[in-house]
Amino acid sequence: MKKLLLITLIALLALSLIQCDGEKKKATKELELLGAGASFPYPLYSKMFSEYFKANSIKINYQAIGSGGGIRQLTAKTVDFGGTDAFMKEKDLSATDGEILHMPTCIGAVSVTYNLPNNPELNFTGKIITDIFLGKITKWNDSAIKKENQDVKLPDEKITVIHRSDGSGTSFVFTDYLSKTSTEWKTKVGAGKSLSWPVGLGGKGNPGVAGLIKQIPGSIGYVELIYAEQNDLPVAKIQNKSGNFIRPSLESSSLSAQIDIPEDTRITITDTDAAEGYPISSFTWLIFYKEQSYNNRTKEKAETLIQLLNWMIHDGQKYPTELGYASLPASAIEKSKLIIKKVTFNGTNLVK
Amino acid sequence: MELTLSNNNKITISSNSIKYSDNWKLGENIFNSVLTGSGIMIIMIVIGIFLTLILSSLPSIKQFGINFVTGTTWDPVFERFGALPFIAGTLITSFLALLISIPFSIAISILLGEYFKRGIFSGFIKSMTELLAGVPSVIFGFWGIFFLVPIVREFEKILGITAYGIGIFSSSIILAIMIIPFSASVGREVIELVPSDIKEAAYAMGATRYEVIKKIVLPYAKSGIFAGIILSLGRALGETMAVTMLIGNFNKMPTSIFAPANTMASVIANEFSESTFELYTSSLIEIGVLLFIVSTVINLIGKWVIKRMVVR
């Protein structure tokens, strides 16, 4: 009996040794990139990276731990790139050791959804949404809502505001829009991933918010457009800067990015001048170091990263719309190319 | 790989000690030191957790001082952090849950410890309460959202208050259900331990069953029952997932027991992954420190009360 046990143990030991050896060989042969960050683009990234692996057999490991986590991991230099839904502030950028670049990968939109009898399609202005979320408009038949929705019969029902309880890029995009359209919102609440909400209930994640809205009659909240579409939630048309009421869609959110994009692509595309653009849209970015030779990284690794970034804004751009994200407009792709050109290894540019 | 090796070693040693009985002292010593080592390790882990929490929360302790505990604003955008709403939310939900659960858990303890000690019925209830303790909290949260919340909402409509359904009241009910198994099983055990000779003496003097329970069993077992309740309170204080799903996550001071609020564990779970700057992260960690302290203080008070309750 004991002998048998001993033999089994030795056999197991030998097996594990063989396996370890096998993994080691694999690791040296194959380059692997490590990324971490935003969970919003995760379905897109996992599709992109699996396609990329099929085409180039380079493994990319992306962990959707949240934008904050992505930024923390990149500043700690434990990953090759990070993902974030909100660009890093000037203050945080200057605090890092080495310059960090932002490259947009796709566009997402946040839609306003609600629970009313028969769920009519509503028109909202920025002012109406702000006043509802500030707790100033408390009834659905308020004259301000009536004014923009004359054909809709609005009930005499109390409005229950639903927002995200967890820190989220979705909240950032939504409140960034509110801050741009209302100075009162900007000074009282501001824009951020977690906020001090004046009124309302918090739900965890898009499913949490949508679940509460479905349950509470007369409630209103915001979810990612993809989530609203996948779950057939009613969405409101929102008035943009040019005065048009725009229904949220892949096209209209992509259109909102057709503006002058700055060199570093760090811009929020909420409430833009684009006449047909949906005003609550946003880029999501990959972030990485401009100088790639940190922590004894190899030049090969840096080049692999550049190849991946290039692929994502070229061939990779056919995947966003497939998965419910809006693809980048040409102007944003041009700017992204320039960003990639900035990347260096030991001071020499990697892309000529 | 290493694990296999050390397992291997242990096996050889133990077989040696059986073979050569004069070698028993070595095995004894090893056994002894393993036990002591584990004990010391537990102490180290607890102290280590507390120290790292304190260290990582230093920035927010420096910045806010005592105002962190008394402040009622939690505003990550303007970087003002006060934890009082969460402390209040945690204490209110936990104690309300305790209040709701006590009658049920004591009733179950008496039923299983005194009336149906053995038998199919008792076995069934016992395994059901144990099952209740093993259900993952996220399932309690789901059940709460789809079943309990609509009922509470109707109840709130009858009361004429804003009918959210979710809020402190709903979370307390769920917490009560979650903690009943803990206090009930401890209660059952101590009630079973009440010596039968004093019970029989009471019966012999003509006491009814109710009188025996009231005058003999409960006074005798009260410190144990209380210990079970403290244990269940600890569980309620730290519960995260089910509460997050039902409490409404409103980061301001609660206005009534039907209002939405938030708890310490819940706000940490909600906001930690997107806390992008140091002060924010360290404020969340400081809430963790406060939760640690609150749990410890309540446990110490509980122990003190149990000591005073022991029948002399």
Side-chain angles (χ1 to χ4, degrees):
Chain A
M1 189 63 207
K2 265 179 200 162
K3 252 186 193 166
L4 193 75
L5 201 74
L6 205 73
I7 290 169
T8 331
L9 274 174
I10 290 169
L12 275 173
L13 203 91
L15 235 144
S16 64
L17 268 174
I18 292 167
Q19 215 150 20
C20 277
D21 202 37
E23 264 164 36
K24 240 184 228 162
K25 262 184 199 159
K26 250 192 204 165
T28 44
K29 218 168 103 186
E30 273 174 22
L31 255 159
E32 186 180 316
L33 290 180
L34 196 61
S39 51
F40 160 69
Y42 179 65
L44 171 65
Y45 289 171
S46 64
K47 170 82 181 165
M48 277 182 161
F49 296 155
S50 95
E51 292 296 327
Y52 191 71
F53 178 73
K54 275 182 211 160
N56 303 291
S57 44
I58 288 170
K59 207 168 161 191
I60 291 129
N61 184 349
Y62 182 80
Q63 286 164 355
I65 54 170
S67 305
I71 292 171
R72 269 200 294 270
Q73 298 276 318
L74 187 72
T75 44
K77 297 186 175 170
T78 50
V79 290
D80 297 303
F81 62 90
T84 179
D85 292 336
F87 58 78
M88 290 173 73
K89 286 183 212 153
E90 207 59 65
K91 195 179 100 193
D92 300 327
L93 277 177
S94 56
T96 60
D97 178 27
E99 194 182 338
I100 288 178
L101 298 174
H102 289 64
M103 185 194 89
T105 53
C106 71
I107 292 170
V110 177
S111 53
V112 175
T113 175
Y114 40 83
N115 178 350
L116 284 176
N118 302 325
N119 285 328
E121 188 177 67
L122 295 180
N123 289 334
F124 284 135
T125 62
K127 172 115 179 69
I128 292 176
I129 303 176
T130 318
D131 285 351
I132 290 175
F133 275 79
L134 279 172
K136 285 161 114 187
I137 295 179
T138 55
K139 290 266 181 159
W140 277 105
N141 58 358
D142 191 283
S143 57
I145 307 180
K146 266 186 175 166
K147 200 182 141 212
E148 305 295 344
N149 299 282
Q150 309 223 335
D151 327 326
V152 183
K153 199 173 161 284
L154 290 155
D156 176 24
E157 191 156 14
K158 200 175 172 287
I159 301 178
T160 302
V161 169
I162 314 284
H163 53 76
R164 287 284 287 267
S165 65
D166 48 334
S168 149
T170 314
S171 293
F172 173 76
V173 175
F174 183 68
T175 51
D176 180 63
Y177 169 69
L178 296 187
S179 295
K180 276 187 186 167
T181 49
S182 153
T183 44
E184 189 183 354
W185 184 274
K186 196 175 178 182
T187 50
K188 269 191 183 165
V189 188
K193 293 173 187 170
S194 303
L195 306 102
S196 176
W197 295 94
V199 289
L201 306 172
K204 196 165 163 53
N206 286 305
V209 170
L212 287 177
I213 292 174
K214 269 187 190 153
Q215 276 212 350
I216 304 177
S219 56
I220 183 169
Y222 59 90
V223 291
E224 275 157 24
L225 174 62
I226 323 168
Y227 192 83
E229 286 195 340
Q230 281 166 352
N231 293 278
D232 279 326
L233 304 176
V235 292
K237 286 183 177 175
I238 312 284
Q239 190 179 39
N240 66 12
K241 223 175 187 175
S242 321
N244 302 324
F245 285 94
I246 307 290
R247 188 199 307 269
S249 69
L250 301 186
E251 298 76 43
S252 61
S253 46
S254 188
L255 283 174
S256 67
Q258 295 201 337
I259 47 160
D260 234 5
I261 296 167
E263 289 286 298
D264 59 3
T265 72
R266 285 166 59 236
I267 184 176
T268 55
I269 49 170
T270 50
D271 203 32
T272 58
D273 292 323
E276 294 303 318
Y278 177 70
I280 323 181
S281 309
S282 168
F283 284 131
T284 181
W285 292 268
L286 286 189
I287 49 177
F288 42 88
Y289 284 101
K290 182 182 171 188
E291 173 53 56
Q292 288 285 315
S293 62
Y294 58 88
N295 274 8
N296 299 324
R297 287 167 95 245
T298 55
K299 191 172 181 187
E300 200 185 355
K301 204 160 202 178
E303 278 165 348
T304 317
L305 178 68
I306 295 298
Q307 271 166 23
L308 171 74
L309 295 174
N310 245 323
W311 181 86
M312 283 175 87
I313 56 166
H314 290 105
D315 291 354
Q317 281 299 311
K318 63 178 176 242
Y319 299 109
T321 41
E322 237 175 62
L323 289 158
Y325 302 82
S327 45
L328 296 173
S331 55
I333 289 178
E334 284 309 309
K335 288 278 153 59
S336 301
K337 276 186 200 161
L338 295 178
I339 298 267
I340 296 175
K341 271 191 184 156
K342 282 186 188 166
V343 179
T344 57
F345 191 86
N346 280 334
T348 50
N349 287 48
L350 285 167
V351 182
K352 299 277 134 47
Chain B
M1 209 168 74
E2 270 171 38
L3 197 80
T4 344
L5 259 178
S6 66
N7 271 347
N8 206 355
N9 277 344
K10 252 185 227 161
I11 287 158
T12 353
I13 288 161
S14 66
S15 57
N16 277 349
S17 63
I18 295 165
K19 264 184 211 159
Y20 313 107
S21 53
D22 52 305
N23 221 359
W24 60 273
K25 217 168 176 186
L26 177 69
E28 201 83 345
N29 282 343
I30 289 175
F31 186 62
N32 204 340
S33 52
V34 166
L35 291 190
T36 325
S38 318
I40 291 173
M41 208 163 79
I42 288 291
I43 300 173
M44 300 277 276
I45 287 174
V46 174
I47 294 176
I49 289 176
F50 192 70
L51 280 183
T52 40
L53 284 179
I54 291 271
L55 274 181
S56 340
S57 60
L58 274 181
S60 104
I61 294 175
K62 268 186 207 146
Q63 175 87 19
F64 302 111
I66 191 70
N67 289 336
F68 189 80
V69 185
T70 56
T72 55
T73 318
W74 182 265
D75 192 337
V77 179
F78 296 103
E79 306 190 7
R80 281 191 304 256
F81 297 103
L84 193 60
F86 311 119
I87 299 173
T90 303
L91 293 179
I92 295 171
T93 46
S94 302
F95 279 97
L96 194 59
L98 210 58
L99 273 183
I100 300 170
S101 76
I102 284 175
F104 293 100
S105 59
I106 292 185
I108 295 174
S109 322
I110 295 173
L111 185 78
L112 294 178
E114 192 60 35
Y115 280 74
F116 297 99
K117 285 191 184 174
R118 256 148 229 106
I120 299 173
F121 180 65
S122 148
F124 186 67
I125 297 190
K126 246 186 242 169
S127 51
M128 277 298 138
T129 30
E130 271 156 26
L131 194 68
L132 208 57
V135 174
S137 57
V138 65
I139 292 178
F140 277 109
F142 262 127
W143 181 78
I145 284 185
F146 291 118
F147 183 76
L148 184 68
V149 165
I151 296 175
V152 172
R153 188 176 301 126
E154 291 309 311
F155 179 60
E156 288 174 346
K157 269 186 196 155
I158 296 168
L159 288 180
I161 44 181
T162 315
Y164 291 130
I166 59 175
I168 293 177
F169 191 63
S170 298
S171 357
S172 296
I173 295 178
I174 284 289
L175 275 179
I177 299 173
M178 293 176 77
I179 65 179
I180 282 173
F182 293 87
S183 40
S185 69
V186 176
R188 176 183 63 84
E189 267 164 37
V190 293
I191 284 176
E192 273 183 352
L193 284 178
V194 176
S196 51
D197 45 352
I198 54 169
K199 282 193 290 186
E200 278 156 14
Y203 282 125
M205 290 175 76
T208 61
R209 201 160 201 186
Y210 172 71
E211 281 167 340
V212 170
I213 287 169
K214 195 184 154 198
K215 299 226 167 100
I216 309 288
V217 173
L218 287 185
Y220 195 91
K222 67 180 176 193
S223 75
I225 294 175
F226 189 79
I229 289 170
I230 290 294
L231 182 78
S232 67
L233 180 62
R235 164 107 165 118
L237 286 171
E239 175 49 42
T240 313
M241 198 59 213
V243 173
T244 304
M245 291 167 85
L246 295 173
I247 199 163
N249 300 301
F250 184 62
N251 297 352
K252 298 219 161 82
M253 285 302 278
T255 48
S256 82
I257 61 161
F258 294 102
N262 212 347
T263 66
M264 296 195 256
S266 164
V267 73
I268 295 173
N270 267 317
E271 301 193 1
F272 192 72
S273 68
E274 292 287 346
S275 61
T276 30
F277 52 96
E278 196 192 13
L279 188 62
Y280 190 7
T281 315
S282 76
S283 296
L284 286 170
I285 297 173
E286 196 179 343
I287 291 185
V289 174
L290 291 177
L291 185 57
F292 202 104
I293 293 173
V294 169
S295 312
T296 315
V297 166
I298 286 182
N299 253 311
L300 288 179
I301 294 176
K303 284 215 172 109
W304 181 72
V305 175
I306 291 168
K307 247 189 202 164
R308 305 212 48 176
M309 266 187 176
V310 173
V311 183
R312 260 158 283 206

